[in-house]
Amino acid sequence: MELTEPLDFSPVSPQAPTQEQIDEYRRLSAEQAAGVGIVSTVWRGRDYAATVSAFLSVSYDPPTILVSLYEGSRIAQAVSESGTWSLTLLTADQKRDANWLASPGTPIEGLLSQVKFKRGGATGCAIVSGALAYFEASTTNIYPQETHLLIVGNVVGMGSESIWTPNTSPLLHYGGDYRRLKP
């Protein structure tokens, strides 16, 4: 049944959004719960890692994933250049790791010194220990889109390090903060 009341909306010019529109977009998009993960790679002999909440399972056959990274970030440059990367999906108990790797100005040297991790068997990228799931990927396409790079990769390795219990919760980003599912 169509309601006759008009929607309360704000028109947006994609070519020239105002700062107010950008802020409103951020607020509204934060109302969607998203899983939290860590993207990592090894480039020029050094580990790079960052917290993300913008990733997507693209295809099951062949297994393909996508991650969105801010184009001007160290992790975007490293993942773009390395050709291989991993995505670790975190449990709610790994909030400290997510906070550390989301902090502006984290050091390049010793970046993972505060995070327990293992090396992925297919890529050698860091996989956060105790993860709900992890995927190792080989980049197939990179799509520049506005301020971000959409990086698509074929999954070349995957697994889990977490034993599921009724109290296990994924780490979620919702309303501008990290959350957990209520058991």
Side-chain angles (χ1 to χ4, degrees):
M1 166 185 358
E2 184 176 349
L3 301 176
T4 59
E5 301 170 12
L7 284 171
D8 179 24
F9 83 103
S10 300
V12 177
S13 168
Q15 291 76 31
T18 66
Q19 187 60 51
E20 182 180 324
Q21 291 168 332
I22 292 168
D23 293 343
E24 180 68 352
Y25 176 80
R26 283 185 179 144
R27 185 188 72 76
L28 291 171
S29 62
E31 296 302 321
Q32 172 63 44
V36 178
I38 302 294
V39 171
S40 72
T41 192
V42 177
W43 181 49
R44 295 182 176 172
R46 180 176 281 148
D47 286 306
Y48 291 81
T51 303
V52 296
S53 61
F55 50 87
L56 173 68
S57 171
V58 174
S59 172
Y60 298 120
D61 186 11
T64 307
I65 60 176
L66 174 150
V67 65
S68 176
L69 302 173
Y70 178 65
E71 186 175 30
S73 65
R74 295 184 308 216
I75 190 68
Q77 180 184 9
V79 168
S80 295
E81 295 293 327
S82 72
T84 59
W85 46 281
S86 69
L87 172 65
T88 304
L89 303 183
L90 302 179
T91 69
D93 295 334
Q94 294 172 308
K95 180 178 174 180
R96 185 185 72 73
D97 295 334
N99 278 330
W100 169 247
L101 293 170
S103 299
T106 53
I108 292 177
E109 291 299 326
L111 175 67
L112 295 174
S113 64
Q114 298 184 31
V115 178
K116 292 180 184 176
F117 70 95
K118 297 178 181 178
R119 296 276 172 199
T123 63
C125 297
I127 306 293
V128 179
S129 297
L132 286 174
Y134 66 87
F135 305 93
E136 295 179 86
S138 175
T139 301
T140 57
N141 288 295
I142 300 174
Y143 300 100
Q145 187 62 45
E146 308 306 337
T147 59
H148 283 65
L149 297 179
L150 304 178
I151 301 175
V152 181
N154 285 336
V155 174
V156 295
M158 61 185 165
S160 176
E161 281 234 313
S162 177
I163 298 172
W164 187 87
T165 69
N167 293 328
T168 302
S169 173
L171 184 59
L172 300 174
H173 188 265
Y174 175 73
D177 202 359
Y178 294 129
R179 315 269 184 202
R180 69 182 310 131
L181 294 175
K182 292 181 181 178

